[in-house]
Amino acid sequence: MPIFSLLSQRLAALCVSLHFSLVMAEPNLDAQLDGKPLALAWQPLDSPAAQGQRFTAELQLAPGTLRLGLGDGDGEALKPFQRFDLSPASRFDFAVAEAGRYRLLVETGADAHLRLLPLRSGIAQQQSACSVWNGEALSVDVSSVFADGQRLRDAYSGQHARVENGHIRLTPAASSNGLLLLEAADAPPSATWDWRNASVYFAIVDRFANGDPNNDRSYGRAPDGEQEIGTFHGGDLKGLTGKLDYLAELGISALWISAPYEQIHGWVGGGDKGDFRHYAYHGYYALDYTQLDANMGSEQDLRELIRQAHARGIRVLFDVVLNHPGYSTLADMQAFGFGGLRDGMARYLPERWSDWRPESFENAHAYHNLLDYQHPDWTNWWGKDWVRAGIHDYPSPPSVLVDPLKGSLAFLPDFRTESEVPVTLPAFLQHKQPTRAVERDGYRVRDYLNEWLSGWVREFGVDGFRADTVKHVEAAAWAELRAAADQARAEWAAANPNDPMAGEPFWMVGEVFGHGPETSEYQHNGFDALINFAFQQETAAKASDCLHQAEAGYAHYAELLARNPGHNFMSYASSHDTALFFAEQHNDLARQRGLAEALLLSPGTVQIYYGDESARPLGPSGSDPFQGTRSDMNWNDHGKPQIAALLDHWRRLGQFRARHPAVGAGSHRQLSAQPYAFVREAGADKVVIVQGR
């Protein structure tokens, strides 16, 4: 949604306050639950930088309103896991929906910020010390899994040994972190496919690989000549296609790509400070759901990507958004004739409006001061029947805290997906060319969205969706999208019977921010799985030191899967809107190796964020802390010996997981504590994992 000039002024004031440097011996935050004081017992953690320190406190909370802060200003909506900057008068109000334990993390210094992390019940939080493997042989009792005399293979080193007196004895490869990946040497590869064992690779297309430099500046998009924080960098569908062998070597079974359909053409002010130009390179600011964005390439490029991916056993998932389209921009206002300028403001705009630049005393948010948000020509945009936007005669969205379904996220226009009223095609889409959007009698907002999104399945064979902002859209709307996608999938399969994936059903995973691995009603409304946010905060770091620190989490995950046969979740350690594991662990390559084991040996679907496997570093962020998690793929680092060794480690583990559905979909049972060993079994497929540390 366009941001009012009043909001611009508020953001400017906020920018000033964020210059405050909070340096203290320990945080000085007040905490109250429903108005009653809470004691915060701070424990110092490692220092992230010379200017500040990191502290943690744990809280046992009942349902209610948690108030955290330094002052009496307006409270800001606190979301689990997200980072919030601290200023001299910061205050945050968090609606605690569920009783339980929460961890509060605070960094002091010039970059002072906080995060609140829910700790899942039923999983031990205490860490035990990791031992050091000194290169010795490991002996494990495997009598409950493999018979005496059976020949086993260590998939990591390629060594073979026989079970004698119920035990196997092998020396792990020097580069393995003391790891043995034991499989029956004579067992044929499993033909079983199970999404609970899938390894999903998430790539932001624009930041991954540039296969066609000719499309880098589509719609007049241009680099900013500075840090290029929010500009398009050139990655495209051809680039992805050229890297499919690389993904296959990692054992990847599904590729989740940022939405490639057409995004807003121009830019908005980036971050709280408006300190960079923010384009929709990430795919979350849709303009036309029926067209490929020209920066991504052509429809033939998409067909070729999916064809070649399927030939390698890799499914392709689209990121999709039902909650909101993109912001208005100067470029789109000029190109499509919607919105209006305040009287006399035209003289401050260049001939090509998107070339506008702020004065030295302004930031990139200042262009909003040129716009008249009550101008009647805003009817030529999405229109009041389509979105809540608080402009002209559009309905105003409520606070997302008051109504998470109808509220506006980040001031974006909110689709009226709950409406039962038939709507006409938005005015700008009626005249836009090219587009596949056509007028339909009796269609509601969500009917159009369902047709547009399922069209990619029907026409191109997209295998599934990763759905964004799920808890901000009605469950019924998601169920209807899934039904449309299932029908489209059946029609595509009938038209393409020889495609390797023609016999597979559609798959849909949802982002419900803060959700863990537990079951929920979302999975009765179209979702096969939800993203598991708990793994990043509760398991990834400690298990990267040694696997036995994941035992409680692994057992819990496997139990959930066994108890609920149709259940699944997708665990991750890095993402585009939480944190980059490598950066969070202070660029520790040893922990990045350990992450491969922790993640790829976890029950349920797992998601690798592009560059997890090669220690992709954080990029520039400006005043938006999440921008740095979307840096360019570090292809140039892959030839460095340390990174090449890291990649080899991820590949060995990825291929092992890909061969054995038992790793992700099987039962879990610990065999021994020293060395740590466990078995995973799913039907005839069974493996034993051992780590001597």
Side-chain angles (χ1 to χ4, degrees):
M1 181 179 88
I3 304 174
F4 303 100
S5 59
L6 176 62
L7 176 61
S8 299
Q9 295 169 13
R10 184 176 177 186
L11 287 172
L14 179 62
C15 292
V16 172
S17 71
L18 290 178
H19 285 296
F20 177 76
S21 178
L22 183 67
V23 182
M24 54 181 74
E26 66 180 40
N28 185 26
L29 288 174
D30 296 322
Q32 298 177 9
L33 184 64
D34 285 342
K36 298 178 181 179
L38 291 173
L40 296 175
W42 295 107
Q43 295 181 355
L45 297 172
D46 53 322
S47 176
Q51 310 99 297
Q53 293 185 359
R54 181 181 291 186
F55 298 87
T56 184
E58 290 194 12
L59 295 169
Q60 181 69 40
L61 301 178
T65 299
L66 174 66
R67 176 165 294 177
L68 298 167
L70 295 163
D72 297 323
D74 292 338
E76 184 172 355
L78 238 171
K79 299 184 182 71
F81 303 103
Q82 285 195 330
R83 163 184 162 144
F84 289 82
D85 289 328
L86 290 172
S87 71
S90 297
R91 200 193 84 194
F92 306 94
D93 291 340
F94 176 60
V96 180
E98 299 179 3
R101 293 198 64 76
Y102 292 77
R103 177 176 295 134
L104 182 62
L105 287 174
V106 172
E107 285 193 12
T108 67
D111 189 29
H113 63 271
L114 66 77
R115 284 185 290 171
L116 186 72
L117 316 174
L119 302 177
R120 301 291 163 193
S121 59
I123 301 178
Q125 298 299 323
Q126 293 295 321
Q127 296 189 30
S128 54
C130 294
S131 59
V132 177
W133 177 66
N134 292 313
E136 69 273 17
L138 303 178
S139 179
V140 181
D141 184 348
V142 295
S143 58
S144 63
V145 185
F146 298 111
D148 259 15
Q150 188 167 359
R151 191 161 164 261
L152 303 184
R153 174 180 179 270
D154 171 24
Y156 197 100
S157 67
Q159 300 176 82
H160 290 74
R162 292 190 182 276
V163 180
E164 297 182 3
N165 298 319
H167 286 71
I168 193 77
R169 182 178 177 83
L170 276 170
T171 301
S175 60
S176 70
N177 282 354
L179 196 65
L180 296 173
L181 307 175
L182 300 177
E183 58 190 7
D186 55 355
S190 176
T192 303
W193 160 250
D194 195 320
W195 268 105
R196 293 173 297 175
N197 192 55
S199 295
V200 178
Y201 194 91
F202 172 31
I204 293 181
V205 180
D206 175 68
R207 304 299 171 90
F208 191 64
N210 192 345
D212 184 3
N214 293 320
N215 60 31
D216 289 0
R217 298 192 180 185
S218 303
Y219 314 114
R221 295 166 179 159
D224 61 23
E226 299 173 5
Q227 293 184 293
E228 309 300 341
I229 295 171
T231 57
F232 278 82
H233 290 192
D236 49 32
L237 297 172
K238 272 189 178 179
L240 276 171
T241 303
K243 299 297 184 180
L244 287 174
D245 285 340
Y246 169 83
L247 298 181
E249 290 170 359
L250 283 170
I252 299 303
S253 47
L255 171 61
W256 157 20
I257 64 174
S258 54
Y261 42 77
E262 189 174 354
Q263 302 293 301
I264 58 174
H265 294 177
W267 54 268
V268 293
D272 290 332
K273 299 180 180 180
D275 48 343
F276 60 91
R277 296 199 289 280
H278 187 177
Y279 288 90
Y281 68 87
H282 41 60
Y284 293 116
Y285 300 160
L287 178 74
D288 186 344
Y289 284 86
T290 73
Q291 294 295 304
L292 278 179
D293 192 279
N295 266 78
M296 298 296 101
S298 68
E299 292 186 354
Q300 182 55 39
D301 295 338
L302 178 60
R303 293 186 194 281
E304 187 67 6
L305 169 66
I306 293 176
R307 184 187 71 80
Q308 292 207 29
H310 286 183
R312 292 165 173 81
I314 298 174
R315 298 136 190 93
V316 178
L317 312 179
F318 267 23
D319 214 325
V320 299
V321 186
L322 280 188
N323 176 256
H324 58 265
Y327 299 102
S328 65
T329 69
L330 290 171
D332 297 315
M333 289 172 65
Q334 187 175 29
F336 299 112
F338 60 75
L341 304 177
R342 291 168 57 195
D343 289 344
M345 293 297 107
R347 67 179 183 274
Y348 295 109
L349 284 171
E351 181 178 353
R352 194 160 89 76
W353 288 7
S354 61
D355 289 337
W356 176 89
R357 298 294 179 266
E359 300 291 343
S360 59
F361 55 86
E362 296 177 316
N363 61 40
H365 294 311
Y367 78 87
H368 293 288
N369 295 322
L370 307 177
L371 306 183
D372 178 2
Y373 286 113
Q374 299 307 316
H375 197 285
D377 284 352
W378 284 106
T379 58
N380 296 329
W381 193 31
W382 286 94
K384 65 180 181 180
D385 293 331
W386 273 80
V387 299
R388 283 172 281 266
I391 60 173
H392 185 42
D393 62 346
Y394 288 54
S396 294
S399 165
V400 74
L401 287 178
V402 174
D403 190 337
L405 296 177
K406 298 179 182 177
S408 171
L409 295 175
F411 307 107
L412 285 154
D414 185 70
F415 276 132
R416 302 181 68 178
T417 47
E418 82 292 346
S419 176
E420 297 297 329
V421 178
V423 296
T424 58
L425 202 64
F428 82 95
L429 279 177
Q430 293 177 20
H431 307 291
K432 179 182 178 291
Q433 289 298 328
T435 186
R436 285 194 175 94
V438 295
E439 192 80 37
R440 302 292 191 193
D441 289 340
Y443 265 30
R444 304 160 297 175
V445 170
R446 64 181 181 268
D447 295 324
Y448 280 104
L449 294 172
N450 290 344
E451 177 180 289
W452 297 341
L453 290 171
S454 63
W456 297 104
V457 181
R458 179 178 291 102
E459 180 67 22
F460 297 93
V462 171
D463 301 281
F465 290 156
R466 178 271 186 185
D468 185 63
T469 56
V470 167
K471 65 182 176 182
H472 297 291
V473 176
E474 304 74 24
W478 290 118
E480 289 181 23
L481 174 63
R482 175 56 186 266
D486 284 342
Q487 178 62 34
R489 180 71 176 185
E491 293 176 19
W492 171 81
N496 297 273
N498 297 323
D499 188 283
M501 301 299 171
E504 289 196 4
F506 193 76
W507 193 73
M508 196 157 84
V509 58
E511 179 228 24
V512 178
F513 212 94
H515 204 286
E518 292 79 18
T519 58
S520 73
E521 285 302 308
Y522 291 106
Q523 288 160 302
H524 299 297
N525 287 280
F527 290 98
D528 298 286
L530 296 180
I531 293 174
N532 174 22
F533 286 78
F535 182 87
Q536 183 190 51
Q537 295 299 333
E538 296 172 7
T539 303
K542 62 184 182 183
S544 71
D545 287 335
C546 56
L547 277 180
H548 72 74
Q549 296 194 137
E551 171 58 29
Y554 281 177
H556 179 55
Y557 291 179
E559 181 187 10
L560 284 170
L561 295 175
R563 196 167 63 234
N564 306 283
H567 181 55
N568 195 8
F569 42 84
M570 186 166 76
S571 300
Y572 76 98
S574 300
S575 84
H576 59 314
D577 54 13
T578 56
L580 199 61
F581 183 86
F582 186 54
E584 288 287 290
Q585 304 306 316
H586 309 299
N587 300 343
D588 186 336
L589 284 172
R591 277 198 154 181
Q592 203 70 13
R593 291 175 65 85
L595 175 63
E597 302 142 26
L599 182 63
L600 294 175
L601 298 176
S602 186
T605 300
V606 297
Q607 172 229 299
I608 301 170
Y609 188 36
Y610 75 106
D612 272 349
E613 74 280 11
S614 58
R616 175 173 59 88
L618 201 69
S621 281
S623 61
D624 180 345
F626 303 116
Q627 295 296 328
T629 66
R630 308 156 186 182
S631 54
D632 288 338
M633 181 62 176
N634 60 329
W635 297 112
N636 291 336
D637 291 340
H638 287 201
K640 298 176 181 177
Q642 284 185 305
I643 302 301
L646 176 66
L647 276 166
D648 182 66
H649 189 64
W650 279 79
R651 286 174 180 137
R652 290 171 191 257
L653 283 153
Q655 290 288 347
F656 177 72
R657 180 183 177 92
R659 284 199 304 276
H660 294 288
V663 174
S667 62
H668 173 94
R669 177 166 50 92
Q670 183 174 342
L671 295 177
S672 69
Q674 192 55 254
Y676 175 60
F678 61 84
V679 58
R680 297 272 173 80
E681 296 183 83
D685 188 37
K686 49 189 177 181
V687 294
V688 170
I689 289 90
V690 187
Q691 189 174 51
R693 54 183 300 186

